[in-house]
Amino acid sequence: MLTKLALRNVFRNRRRSAITLLVIVFGAVGLILFGGYKAITFHSLRESTIRNRLGHLQIYKAGFERAEARKPLEYGLEDVAQLRRAIQNDKRVRMTTAQITLMGLVSNGDKSETFIATGVEPKEDKAMNAQRLVAGTDLPNNESDAIIIGRGLAASMHAKPGDYLTLMSTTTSGSLNAIDVRVAGVFMSGVKEYDDRAVKMPLAGAQQLLQTTKVERLLVMLNDTDDTAAVRASLTSLFAKNRWALEMKDWSQLATFYHQVVALYNGIFGFIGMVVFAIVIFSVANTIVMSIFERTREIGTMMAIGTTRASVWRMFLAEGLMIGVIGGVAGLLCGAGISSLINRVHIMLPPPPGYTQGYPLRVMLQPGILVTAFLIAVITSTLSSILPALKASRLKIVDALGHI
Amino acid sequence: MKRLIAISFLFVAMSLHADDKAAAVLARSDVFRNPIESFSVDVELTSFATGGKTDTSRFRVYGKSSDRSVVEFTFPQTEKGKYLLMLRDAMWIYLPSASRPIRISPLQRLMGQASNGDVARTSFTVDYNATAVAEDGDAFVIDLVAKDPSVAYNRVRLWIDKQSYEPRRADFYVVSGKLIKRATYKAYGTMAGRRVVTEIEIDDLLRPGNRTVMRYANLTPKENAEKMFTKDALGKW
Amino acid sequence: MHQPPLIRLLDVTRTYPLGRVNVRALTGVSLDVDHGDFLALAGPSGSGKTTLLNLIGCIDKPDSGRIVIDGVDVTPVPLHRLASTRLHTLGFIFQTFNLIPVLTAYENVEYPLLLQHVPAAARRKRVLEWLEQVGLSDQARQRPDQLSGGQRQRVAIARAMAGQPKLVLADEPTANLDSVTAAKILDLLETLNAGTGCTFIFATHDPALMSRARRCVRMHDGAIVNEPLLEARAS
């Protein structure tokens, strides 16, 4: 009876109910669309951060992070071949690559600037697609003295592909070293401060400059990001079993920019959620209050003929709940429908920093977001009817009966 | 066969003799540049860049052995009050505006005039082994290799006057074999009763056209206590 | 046979504020109503008849005096706790019919039975019986806005009776009906009173209804001005 009454009363005033339901649907759709956009943004950013830059896991010599190395690669990895073979045994691992980071001075014969270089294995680095070339070619596979430099650095060194520069640094033993290198290409990363100083050079060239056979770290790239925790655990026990003194970090510990973006978007999403929450509360409360006002005599009658206060309260609460459920379901369906439409239509967004091409707008449909939107609709509707329902149940029967 | 053995013996003897001779020559040459164990000296440093720009600064340097010195900035006015502590493995700068001395990394040491200071003070006898001696006109040419992999310049080629053993020129090479700096010992004078190098010109061969000229004056023997060459002492000047 | 009265009111007063003025609706009223009575509270508007009806109906509380319903003193009990009494012992009929608009005639009659937790089969039987009693079997599926005034009042009567009350209270039950329909409704009520033994109390200023009542209690300015039966008992 309660459900029947609630349902029929919801549709008693068609127009008012329609508007309230529309408000709920808008709110739910907004949450679903933004939630889906947020989800896909996180996913893309995460994957690009991992696959283009950090790798899923990074392995260092034990003590690397804590120590203040006086000399370069004091805490570097030696003889990594065996380690890499052991890691690559795991089917979940796609590839490993070794890297060195170093700093020094780069000179074009006229002036010197500081540079920050990453020594990489050219083949693996190309697979990671880490930077966009704006001139020249990528690092050749077999030349140890070809480098690619950031756009800002190329400008300050007046260097273009084919020019020669000198890289100067201190070796692992503290001696000075300098090598001549050929600029193979110029890249753009999208971050100006990075491009003003950045150099990518072959690992062999970095090792030559530093006079070492060590590497600074090993990057491990997996096939599936969801395997990260499991692979990390299995590698930890592998290291322990072999008594290798290594330390490991996963991408989440290194991806500060990603986490900042996540926090920002989640903050915005939370804010939008609160706005939706407030609007739905006011809208539903208003509808219920008006409905109670119009049904005052009816409520008086019901209580006169024996309906308890609690039953009256429950009846209006059920109406709020029902509005929420209907609005929630409608919102879900609309949200899902609009999401699919957006994904199909390929609305082009402007290019992000560092790129020339835009990319299509996509919204990820996640069960979690759909459930959240539905629950928010239902809960806010129900909550907003609590107080009005309580007031209705406390009406004085005589006064209510005498109401117009 | 016998003849062959005899000749090889001769070569060995000659080379041994060459090493001894190189070491002796080196020792006699170093005296002109690092004459006194514990001293103070005034240095005027002028740097010339391509495009004609010049910069002059003056310092008073307190040195001990060849591997410790405290540099007091005396000119220009803006630099007064700054001090540098240069040790073999570390360098510190003390700025009056900071509460404590700041450590300078090897890379930063590379970048500024401190590198020229290092070049000027290098003790060849202490840090290098002579591997070959040759003759070039009126000068000996000695090839030097660093004794320790931590020495800044891996190899040096040194020209020394045959008659006076005064160093004429030194070419400094890094591990890769690249020639980085050239020091020319341009003028000699008498200070503290000895004949010493009074003017060095250092060419930055990575940036042709850029050179630094260092002039020495008022070389005075001084009892510099060991504890003067510590980071904490630096703050108390 | 002297059953104790169904309703006893003893020196009941009720005053309520109207703006800044206090209106004395009832001043020391005493009344007994027996089982099976067909009683009219008669008087002009402002005489206190509606107030008296409300007090008996347990939807208002007296300021002083006692009210005993079916042997139970309901005076100290707060109104919201009397819902059960209203549900099981009383029935209401209103001037403006007061049906629930979203429910059909059948469902309106069914409503109090659902509150009483009558099981489904018995419920269905009773609703259909009462609809037939009031002559609206064919209108069971219709909503109030599809019924005439007389038909709506019949549904209201069926609703009031279906719960098997001991007492039905009706405030001006014919005021919104034309004279022909009103007469028919009065016939129905009389029939029900005779047939079921249920007590009926009306508040009215309709002379036709007053004359049909077996007992007529006149009120004026919050007091009972004549009470033949009471006078007879006293003497």
Side-chain angles (χ1 to χ4, degrees), chain B residues 39-164:
Chain B
F39 64 90
S40 77
V41 68
D42 292 333
V43 181
E44 182 188 81
L45 189 149
T46 311
S47 58
F48 300 84
T50 46
K53 194 167 172 301
T54 49
D55 265 320
T56 305
S57 14
R58 296 201 195 101
F59 316 90
R60 169 156 290 193
V61 180
Y62 299 85
K64 199 171 173 90
S65 311
S66 59
D67 57 3
R68 273 159 288 176
S69 55
V70 170
V71 178
E72 179 187 352
F73 289 62
T74 54
F75 181 87
Q77 194 67 14
T78 48
E79 300 295 290
K80 268 181 116 145
K82 294 187 187 169
Y83 290 85
L84 273 178
L85 170 62
M86 297 171 75
L87 303 176
R88 177 186 278 283
D89 289 334
M91 188 161 120
W92 304 81
I93 186 165
Y94 175 78
L95 304 163
S97 54
S99 57
R100 33 171 192 202
I102 300 164
R103 196 194 173 109
I104 298 203
S105 69
L107 187 62
Q108 289 162 318
R109 198 165 176 170
L110 263 186
M111 288 169 67
Q113 289 299 352
S115 69
N116 290 322
D118 281 332
V119 164
R121 283 177 337 112
T122 313
S123 165
F124 297 126
T125 38
V126 171
D127 289 331
Y128 293 85
N129 285 325
T131 55
V133 186
E135 299 190 13
D136 176 13
D138 61 349
F140 291 119
V141 184
I142 307 188
D143 283 329
L144 302 169
V145 172
K147 284 182 184 170
D148 190 82
S150 64
V151 172
Y153 298 92
N154 186 249
R155 301 171 67 92
V156 179
R157 174 165 283 186
L158 186 57
W159 280 258
I160 297 178
D161 188 285
K162 273 187 190 167
Q163 306 290 45
S164 63

Side-chain angles (χ1 to χ4, degrees), chain B residues 216-228:
Chain B
Y216 295 87
N218 301 329
L219 175 64
T220 317
K222 239 192 175 82
E223 275 303 313
N224 294 325
E226 277 296 337
K227 62 176 164 60
M228 193 170 113

Side-chain angles (χ1 to χ4, degrees), chain A residues 133-156:
Chain A
L133 284 170
V134 294
T137 64
D138 217 326
L139 287 177
N141 283 347
N142 291 314
E143 282 173 56
S144 65
D145 56 0
I147 63 170
I148 55 176
I149 60 178
R151 198 159 72 150
L153 187 58
S156 76

Side-chain angles (χ1 to χ4, degrees), chain A residues 1 8 297 302-303 307 398, chain C residues 86 96 102 107 111 114:
Chain A
M1 166 63 85
R8 292 195 203 170
R297 183 184 292 181
M302 286 168 76
M303 293 211 278
T307 314
V398 175
Chain C
R86 294 196 291 270
T96 48
V102 295
E107 288 161 344
Y111 184 77
L114 283 168

Side-chain angles (χ1 to χ4, degrees), chain B residues 132-204:
Chain B
V133 186
E135 299 190 13
D136 176 13
D138 61 349
F140 291 119
V141 184
I142 307 188
D143 283 329
L144 302 169
V145 172
K147 284 182 184 170
D148 190 82
S150 64
V151 172
Y153 298 92
N154 186 249
R155 301 171 67 92
V156 179
R157 174 165 283 186
L158 186 57
W159 280 258
I160 297 178
D161 188 285
K162 273 187 190 167
Q163 306 290 45
S164 63
Y165 293 95
E166 288 170 359
R168 294 268 165 255
R169 176 173 127 200
D171 281 352
F172 292 80
Y173 296 84
V174 291
V175 173
S176 67
K178 203 167 162 63
L179 177 59
I180 299 281
K181 285 203 201 282
R182 168 168 294 156
T184 312
Y185 304 97
K186 296 188 91 166
Y188 285 79
T190 306
M191 284 194 284
R194 298 155 213 261
R195 187 164 166 79
V196 294
V197 172
T198 52
E199 185 176 318
I200 308 179
E201 178 178 301
I202 301 177
D203 293 298
D204 180 353

